[in-house]
Every structure is written in structure tokens, then in C-alpha cells.
Amino acid sequence: MKSLKYLSLSLVACGVALSSCDDFFDTKPYDQLSPSTFWQTEDDVYSAATACYDKWNEAKNGSTDILYADCLSDIGFNYSNTSYLKVTGNGAMTQAATVTYYNYETIRRCNTFLENAESVAFADEAEKKDLFAQVRTIRAYRYFHMNFWYGGVPLITDLPQTSAEAQIERASEETVKKFIYDELDAAISDLKDKPSQRGRIAKGTALAIKMRAALYWGDLDLAMSAARSIQNLNQYELDPNFQEMFSIKGQGSKEIIYAMQHVSNTYAFSNMIRMFNNQDGGWASMVPTQNLVDMYEMKSGLRPEEEGSGYDPVHPFANRDPRLALTILYPGMDWVGSDGKQRVINTLDKSIDGGSNADYMDAADNSSRTGMIWAKYTVPLSQYSASLGNENTCPILFRYAEVLLTIAEINVEKNENTTEVYDILDQLRARCGHVAVDRAKYNTQEKLRELVRRERCIEMAGEGLRRADLLRWKDQNGKMLAETLMNGTLYRMIGTVNVNEPDRDLRATISAPTAENESLRKIEDRVFRPYNRYLPFPQAELDKNPNLKQNEGYE
């Protein structure tokens, strides 16, 4: 981003109205520039707009939330309870211990910008409108994020001067939703078709926010319109190299609509260490589960449980959809470690050649408890620094595959344009070398709905969309899929790895489940209750605002 160089300046110069020790409550700084001395030039406005970008995806964990969020679903797991991910994922969250998506810091920055920047003259009025539209888009996204997870939040669009003024009641979910749509529509009309610098919000990003929000809230016509508008920009296309798109080398991919920007030594991504396993110095804080592995078809396109599929539970990675190996690093795969040496991934054997195995699932708190890590963003390890904490990693917030899957899902729900649905799924499968959809097999709305949902999970796995999908998708009885898929015991594979086997997918030999190995296979019990559709407001926020009423079930 052009304005990354302004980031540190803007965080200071815009005063406590942009950053304070008490969220948006404090308003009078004594050690920073005041509004009367700051809002003078175009550069001031640029730097203030950049301050709004800081952690705009999620104010607490920033860009890392994209990678963390699937730990709240059936396809991801967090062992260390970082930011209360574990207890929220297994249903044990309370208002005192919960993932916190409730944060007004970014909204306060946006409100400050919108209130003060109007008075600054610009040589190019279109440039000024574009900056205002970027900030309005950021504010709309933050409200979308909170509104979806909490179901109505205080709607603050000005600058409260005291904590009492900020202590307002929740607006209804519908009221906040309307505000979001209106803001996005206003911003879309003023945004540039293409960003002036990578990292700036342009029309495609605002449309992607509207598309995702409308899909989540079931406003299918709005979601389809936004998706078609993204297509009509003629800027985005599927990347033929799926895995490279998630690497530093692939950051210029035409599939990426928006990625959260980071620059080493300037505005670094510091959490790659959380993605790697123990032996490579990582913390394995977000890892995929066996549930996800089980979703992948065989190379033939048959499901593992179908007759004639050839699935072998002793060698569950053999003859699978090629996307499995592009998404997950599993036992038996070849890997070049932090020492620069090639090894076979072995997370199943407690010891190797008589010595301890640092990658064994229970070797340390920072070993992957599922025996796997994500391939997305980790391949190759050599692209990162030795610390795994000063990186150029730019987690992808929106990409074109999501647009196509949104179109496919809406077509299925409306029971129309079935050929387009097949064609979209075939594009996504073919780019990774998988077979086309068997159209004779998936020939009803119900069967095609099941397939599209599975394909969305496989395509977007590890990118943070899964829990929201499980909340909004319903079964034939109208129950959230989360009520089925997030209830029960989370298991892992156990077994051994034969490093001398030439076929990587036959190296891991998995033991069959028995009563005797139940405790070794078990990771945790999980519970999902209907009221877990919404997250609890954190206790700290309830203490700050006595007019904020807790969501049902958490009092």
C-alpha cells in the first residue's frame, strides 16, 4: 500500500479518536496532535484513511483471524485456547471466556475520518470520494462482521464525547443490516474499479463484502447481483496454480480480490509461527481435522463410503481428490524442514530410530494434535524468515472462487441454471486435476445442494468461512447443520509411518478404531446448542455498557 509508510504517523497523529486505551470512550488526548492541527492536507487524509485499514478485517487478531476462524468449526482445531478459540469451538464459551469479535476501535477511526476529512480540500475531487468510499466500506465490513456474530449491535456513526454517550442499546439485526447495505451501495458508486495501489479497497472488494453479507443473511437476489457485478468487472479469474496462490510468490494472482497487506520490517505478519508444527519451531495453533479429510472424494469422484470407491481406511490418503494434498500436509508427505533438509512428515510415531519425535501429536503443547497442518500459506517453508514472525504474508480475505461458489449455491437454492452449477464446480475441480462432476449422479436439487456445500468447504478450507456456513445452512428439518456437525467427539488418526515406502500416500498406516484406542484417538468432546448461533458479548463490554443486553443463553 502506498500509505503503509504513513501508518505509524496516522496512528499517532489522529489522536485518541483513532486509538485509545479505552476503546472509543476516551476522547481528549494530551500527548498527540489534535484535530485542529492534523486535518490540513491531502497527506493527512491519506494517512488517516490508512489508519482505518489497521486490523480492519478483525480488530483483535487482525489478519490472523482469517486463518484462525475455522477452528470454530468442524474442520479446524486449536489446542492452546488462543483468544478462547478452543472453548468457543467446542461450545464451552461463556461471557467471561469467548472469542471476541466485538470491537469498535476501527469503527471509531472510520467515524473520526468521516467527520473531519470533509473539510480538507483535494485537487482531485474523485480521489477524495474514493478515499471516503474506502473508509465507509471498512466501517460497513466491521458492522457486518459484528452484526452476523452477535445479531444486532449498537449502531454508532458519530463521535460520542463521553462514555455515557457511547452507552447505547443494541440496534436490531435488521436495522444494522440495512445500514450496511446502504453504506456499501454508496461506497460502490464512488470506488475506483481498480485500486491505485495493492491493498487499497476498490469496487470489487466492496461488492465482495455485499455478496458475502447478503448470502449469509439469505438475501439471495442481492448476493447474486453483487456476484455478477464482480464478474462484470472482468478483472478476476481462477488461478491455475492453486497452491502457489497462497504463497508470497502468488500474491499477484488474478484470483485475489482482496488480501490483508503486510510488509516485512514495516508492517509484518507475525503469526506464521502459529501455522507450523513443533519440529520446525512452530506452535500448530490452527490445524485441520480428520472431519475435513473425510470430505474429500476418491480420484474417481466416488465418495469413500460408496461401493466400488476403493477407499482403504488403513491407507486413507491413497487415491484421493488431488485437492487434499494441496490443502493439508498429512503424515507420509515429503517436506523440507526449517533445517533445509527433506524429511517425511511423521506425526504418528512417538519415537523414531529410538529417539523422541518432535512432531508426534502429543510431543509438546505446540505439536499438532490432529497430526496435520494446513498446506495453504505454509508451502514452501523456505519463503519465510527463521523467526516465522517477520513476514510478507498477505492472508486472502476474498477471492474469485468464492464468487463462483456463491453463484452456484444461489442457483441451487433457486433450482435454476443447473448447467452453470456443474460448469462452476468442474472449473474448480479441474484446475487442481480432479475429475468432473458426475451429472447423472447429482441430478436433483437435494443432491446438488449437498455437493455444492461440500465443494465450498473443500475449496475454502482454512480460509475462515466454515462456521458461518454451518450456522446459515439448514438440514431438511430446518436445523442448522452446526447442530449436527458441531456436536459429538472430535477424533484423530493414530498409527505409524513407513518412511521407506516410495508412495507417499501409502506411508501412513492407520489403526482401526477400537475401544482400547479410544482415549488415544479422542481430541475433545464438542457441544453446539441452538443459542450458540450467536456469540456471547464479552463481560468486559457488558461492564462498559450497562445498556448492552446479553444474547439469550449466556446470562
Side-chain angles (χ1 to χ4, degrees):
M1 295 170 63
K2 166 190 174 181
S3 39
L4 274 172
K5 65 182 180 180
Y6 295 126
L7 184 59
S8 296
L9 168 66
S10 63
L11 291 176
V12 175
C14 293
V16 78
L18 296 187
S19 178
S20 76
C21 62
D22 189 22
D23 294 332
F24 51 78
F25 296 137
D26 295 337
T27 58
K28 189 173 182 181
Y30 293 97
D31 60 346
Q32 299 170 340
L33 297 177
S34 69
S36 63
T37 59
F38 178 73
W39 299 98
Q40 303 294 324
T41 69
E42 289 187 17
D43 278 351
D44 290 345
V45 176
Y46 270 108
S47 58
T50 301
C52 297
Y53 276 87
D54 185 41
K55 297 183 179 179
W56 73 270
N57 168 66
E58 199 276 296
K60 183 174 176 59
N61 288 318
S63 303
T64 309
D65 181 68
I66 295 171
L67 312 178
Y68 268 147
D70 276 347
C71 296
L72 306 179
S73 76
D74 59 331
I75 67 169
F77 176 69
N78 170 267
Y79 174 72
S80 61
N81 202 27
T82 304
S83 300
Y84 298 114
L85 285 161
K86 183 177 183 179
V87 295
T88 307
N90 65 28
M93 69 281 208
T94 66
Q95 61 192 38
T98 177
V99 163
T100 302
Y101 288 153
Y102 187 86
N103 195 306
Y104 279 81
E105 178 183 354
T106 299
I107 290 171
R108 176 74 183 194
R109 295 182 182 195
C110 294
N111 290 347
T112 300
F113 177 96
L114 295 170
E115 181 166 305
N116 290 280
E118 185 60 48
S119 62
V120 180
F122 267 63
D124 184 348
E125 189 63 23
E127 189 72 16
K128 182 177 180 179
K129 285 184 176 181
D130 178 68
L131 281 174
F132 269 74
Q134 291 176 44
V135 172
R136 294 179 79 172
T137 300
I138 290 171
R139 184 174 65 173
Y141 182 84
R142 289 301 316 129
Y143 271 119
F144 156 56
H145 201 248
M146 291 197 299
N147 199 44
F148 180 80
W149 292 111
Y150 294 104
V153 293
L155 186 57
I156 301 174
T157 60
D158 57 4
L159 294 173
Q161 296 303 300
T162 67
S163 60
E165 290 179 10
Q167 293 171 359
I168 63 175
E169 296 181 354
R170 300 164 63 177
S172 70
E173 190 168 4
E174 284 298 316
T175 297
V176 180
K177 183 172 76 169
K178 182 180 185 305
F179 171 79
I180 293 163
Y181 287 156
D182 289 346
E183 284 290 284
L184 289 173
D185 286 343
I188 287 166
S189 65
D190 287 338
L191 283 166
K192 297 177 182 177
D193 286 355
K194 294 184 178 180
S196 51
Q197 302 91 22
R198 191 168 79 189
R200 287 284 180 191
I201 289 171
K203 202 179 293 290
T205 304
L207 285 166
I209 295 171
K210 184 177 180 181
M211 175 193 74
R212 185 183 289 180
L215 183 69
Y216 281 13
W217 283 319
D219 297 324
L220 299 187
D221 289 339
L222 282 178
M224 179 66 88
S225 175
R228 296 296 190 195
S229 294
I230 293 171
Q231 287 187 310
N232 291 337
L233 290 173
N234 295 316
Q235 295 180 33
Y236 311 108
E237 59 188 49
L238 292 182
D239 193 321
N241 194 326
F242 178 79
Q243 193 168 75
E244 185 177 274
M245 174 172 49
F246 299 97
S247 70
I248 292 173
K249 184 179 179 181
Q251 288 177 354
S253 170
K254 290 185 177 181
E255 185 165 339
I256 298 172
I257 297 173
Y258 191 87
M260 306 300 292
Q261 297 300 293
H262 292 278
V263 179
S264 298
N265 300 315
T266 301
Y267 190 62
F269 184 80
S270 61
N271 276 322
M272 282 311 304
I273 194 170
R274 297 182 182 272
M275 296 201 69
F276 290 94
N277 215 340
N278 183 33
Q279 188 165 334
D280 292 311
W283 300 351
S285 293
M286 64 282 276
V287 296
T289 67
Q290 180 66 28
N291 294 339
L292 177 58
V293 174
D294 292 343
M295 292 185 197
Y296 287 85
E297 296 174 346
M298 306 301 291
K299 284 183 178 179
S300 64
L302 292 174
R303 299 280 298 130
E305 67 273 14
E306 290 182 293
E307 184 178 355
S309 73
Y311 176 72
D312 180 3
V314 176
H315 299 294
F317 305 115
N319 300 312
R320 302 297 290 273
D321 177 345
R323 293 176 292 180
L324 173 58
L326 295 174
T327 305
I328 299 173
L329 296 176
Y330 49 77
M333 296 184 77
D334 295 310
W335 178 248
V336 178
S338 57
D339 57 3
K341 297 179 181 178
Q342 182 166 309
R343 70 176 190 266
V344 172
I345 295 174
N346 185 352
T347 55
L348 302 180
D349 292 296
K350 188 173 184 178
S351 62
I352 300 176
D353 298 329
S356 60
N357 175 13
D359 269 347
Y360 177 61
M361 293 181 288
D362 293 329
D365 285 345
N366 55 323
S367 298
S368 170
R369 285 304 197 272
T370 68
M372 300 175 288
I373 65 172
W374 294 106
K376 289 177 177 178
Y377 297 103
T378 65
V379 178
L381 173 56
S382 60
Q383 67 190 303
Y384 298 119
S385 67
S387 70
L388 298 175
N390 182 23
E391 315 308 334
N392 293 330
T393 310
C394 296
I396 300 169
L397 184 59
F398 297 107
R399 59 186 177 94
Y400 189 57
E402 183 184 351
V403 177
L404 295 178
L405 285 164
T406 297
I407 292 170
E409 180 177 338
I410 295 170
N411 281 336
V412 169
E413 294 308 312
K414 291 191 167 189
N415 203 18
E416 60 189 25
N417 300 326
T418 303
T419 299
E420 183 179 35
V421 177
Y422 293 134
D423 290 345
I424 285 172
L425 299 184
D426 285 348
Q427 288 179 61
L428 295 171
R429 293 157 71 103
R431 68 122 159 229
C432 295
H434 194 33
V435 297
V437 173
D438 184 343
R439 302 187 183 199
K441 175 181 176 183
Y442 295 99
N443 59 355
T444 68
Q445 183 184 28
E446 181 180 344
K447 290 178 181 178
L448 197 52
R449 177 186 290 121
E450 179 186 350
L451 176 62
V452 167
R453 290 176 174 180
R454 188 169 67 244
E455 289 287 316
R456 179 176 168 94
C457 180
I458 287 171
E459 176 68 31
M460 308 303 295
E463 298 178 54
L465 305 186
R466 180 63 172 173
R467 186 180 178 95
D469 287 344
L470 295 182
L471 297 178
R472 64 187 182 84
W473 286 339
K474 306 298 190 294
D475 64 17
Q476 291 178 314
N477 297 315
K479 291 174 57 177
M480 293 178 285
L481 290 192
E483 295 181 64
T484 300
L485 298 179
M486 289 295 292
N487 270 307
T489 302
L490 185 64
Y491 288 104
R492 65 187 181 187
M493 298 169 292
I494 60 172
T496 188
V497 173
N498 178 9
V499 297
N500 296 316
E501 166 62 49
D503 187 335
R504 71 169 193 197
D505 293 335
L506 295 177
R507 289 172 182 157
T509 299
I510 304 303
S511 302
T514 64
E516 289 73 22
N517 65 27
E518 165 84 7
S519 61
L520 189 56
R521 292 188 304 111
K522 179 178 177 179
I523 295 177
E524 66 174 2
D525 291 320
R526 291 183 157 191
V527 175
F528 184 94
R529 309 165 188 83
Y531 69 77
N532 294 143
R533 160 61 186 89
Y534 296 109
L535 295 174
F537 288 103
Q539 184 63 55
E541 303 301 334
L542 297 171
D543 292 341
K544 291 175 184 176
N545 183 1
N547 293 313
L548 183 64
K549 303 305 179 185
Q550 183 59 277
N551 278 321
E552 180 182 350
Y554 297 107
E555 294 91 346

